[in-house]
Amino acid sequence: MTRSLREVVKEYMSDRRVRKYRLVTKDGRCNIEFGNVMHRNRFAYVLDIWTTFVETRWRFVILHFVASFTLSWFIFGLLWYWIARDHGDLKWQNPPENHTACVYSVNTLTYAFLFSLETQSTIGYGNVYITDVCPGAVALIIIQSLMGTIISCFWCGVVMAKIALPKKRAKTITFSDSAVICPKKGTLCLQIRVANLRKTLMIGSQIYGKLLRTTVTPEGETVILDQVSIDFMVDAGKDNLFFVCPLTLYHVIDKTSPFFDMAVDTLHQQEFELVVFLDGTAESTSSTCQVRTSYIPQEIMWGYDFLPIISRSKEGKYRVDFSNFAKVVPVPTAHCAYCYHNEAGHHHHSIDGIDNQGFEVIDIETPNITKM
């Protein structure tokens, strides 16, 4: 059955509202604005001009690149024109036949600009050259050569720094679009999946999370973006991950976890944002990079588990099936952490069904595979 236009518009506005109010987008960009910044603080961007240019978008870098060279050629062209005019080399000044010009053939503003371009870019076509009758012209050609070298080195450094930015390496590391909550090794866990799309390793990888939410202190103070640390780990620990294949990371939901008081029917009513960080050093460039993503309550699926994606072929090779990277299957799961740990008097009774006090395991003959 096709959805009505009203439902489509409602879903679009809901997705737009979610993107607007989340602090960290799925691709790691921070959605935050700075207001009422003093003018003296804005001037700090000019003082730190190197970082400013490295972080500038490519289109503005190219614009400044073209503008800096063109402007320098034009300014030095005016200086060469002024030297020619001061020495009486221009055509309208009618120099005598035995007159020796400061710069041969520089007798108009156009020729002065062309000589400036040839000098700074070391082209030298041969029909325009400097003579030894003007010491000022000799000093000017030295200054322009040095300035041209400095400008060229600066822009070469900016381009190389932008190409080698660690965040470009972060584009080849991906997280699952959703997180899941299910039992794992005798405890209730929140799980996410992360994959390195390159065969080169991330050395010294560490993963951790921050739960962002608005809280009210006992004194009545409202704290916006209150941060609570969330520990993630794999079976071998949480530090120095062996990131050779996709990993399923999990957070244990125990009494110290902020997810302990949530249940399947109250999770999506919560207002929080789980931001996950992955820090590591690229093996090929030795540059440190950080990958970020975030999950809101609507992106956490209670009672689901990830499908396995690593298998072994008959030849003995390990194979990663990325078609199952974002797929989950329903699994029998207690509807709250209190029920899972059998905490008396703290059960969150579901409004949609009856509590399963005995935790009966339900056999699922044909699992319903869901793609996140």
Side-chain angles (χ1 to χ4, degrees), residues 99-357:
H99 178 76
T100 303
C102 289
V103 182
Y104 184 76
S105 296
V106 175
N107 45 33
T108 62
L109 183 59
T110 303
Y111 268 108
F113 177 79
L114 291 175
F115 178 72
S116 174
L117 188 155
E118 295 173 14
T119 300
Q120 190 165 324
S121 56
T122 65
I123 297 176
Y125 290 115
N127 62 338
V128 183
Y129 55 89
I130 191 173
T131 62
D132 58 353
V133 297
C134 297
V138 177
L140 183 60
I141 198 173
I142 295 174
I143 295 174
Q144 185 174 4
S145 298
L146 294 175
M147 287 298 299
T149 303
I150 292 174
I151 295 175
S152 298
C153 291
F154 176 81
W155 285 114
C156 285
V158 169
V159 171
M160 290 300 299
K162 286 186 68 64
I163 293 176
L165 277 178
K167 65 181 181 180
K168 303 300 180 183
R169 176 64 175 91
K171 299 295 183 181
T172 57
I173 297 176
T174 181
F175 287 89
S176 57
D177 292 333
S178 299
V180 298
I181 294 179
C182 64
K184 181 179 176 65
K185 293 187 176 181
T187 184
L188 195 63
C189 297
L190 181 144
Q191 301 183 71
I192 61 174
R193 182 168 275 176
V194 60
N196 179 16
L197 302 181
R198 290 186 179 274
K199 292 186 178 180
T200 54
L201 299 180
M202 293 291 294
I203 303 172
S205 299
Q206 297 182 355
I207 191 164
Y208 55 96
K210 296 290 183 180
L211 188 71
L212 309 179
R213 57 185 177 181
T214 300
T215 59
V216 180
T217 63
E219 294 78 15
E221 178 185 0
T222 301
V223 180
I224 301 177
L225 294 180
D226 183 30
Q227 300 184 20
V228 179
S229 296
I230 303 295
D231 292 330
F232 284 93
M233 63 184 67
V234 293
D235 294 335
K238 63 180 180 179
D239 297 330
N240 299 323
L241 305 178
F242 186 40
F243 208 1
V244 69
C245 60
L247 299 175
T248 300
L249 308 167
Y250 61 91
H251 163 71
V252 177
I253 302 179
D254 54 16
K255 293 182 179 180
T256 62
S257 172
F259 296 98
F260 191 77
D261 295 326
M262 301 180 190
V264 61
D265 50 358
T266 62
L267 175 64
H268 292 175
Q269 301 172 7
Q270 304 290 327
E271 293 185 2
F272 65 84
E273 182 174 350
L274 175 61
V275 184
V276 182
F277 304 86
L278 175 65
D279 298 337
T281 302
E283 183 181 33
S284 55
T285 61
S286 298
S287 57
T288 303
C289 67
Q290 182 183 86
V291 192
R292 298 180 295 270
T293 192
S294 69
Y295 300 93
I296 56 177
Q298 291 73 20
E299 296 170 345
I300 300 178
M301 306 179 68
W302 193 296
Y304 287 83
D305 195 4
F306 290 110
L307 281 177
I309 60 175
I310 301 177
S311 60
R312 193 170 184 177
S313 64
K314 296 180 179 179
E315 295 78 12
K317 294 183 178 180
Y318 293 95
R319 182 176 180 271
V320 178
D321 184 8
F322 277 97
S323 63
N324 290 338
F325 181 78
K327 292 181 180 179
V328 296
V329 291
V331 294
T333 307
H335 68 265
C336 66
Y338 283 105
C339 296
Y340 187 89
H341 294 282
N342 200 19
E343 294 284 339
H346 293 86
H347 296 280
H348 293 272
H349 294 278
S350 173
I351 61 176
D352 300 327
I354 301 174
D355 247 349
N356 182 9
Q357 301 292 344

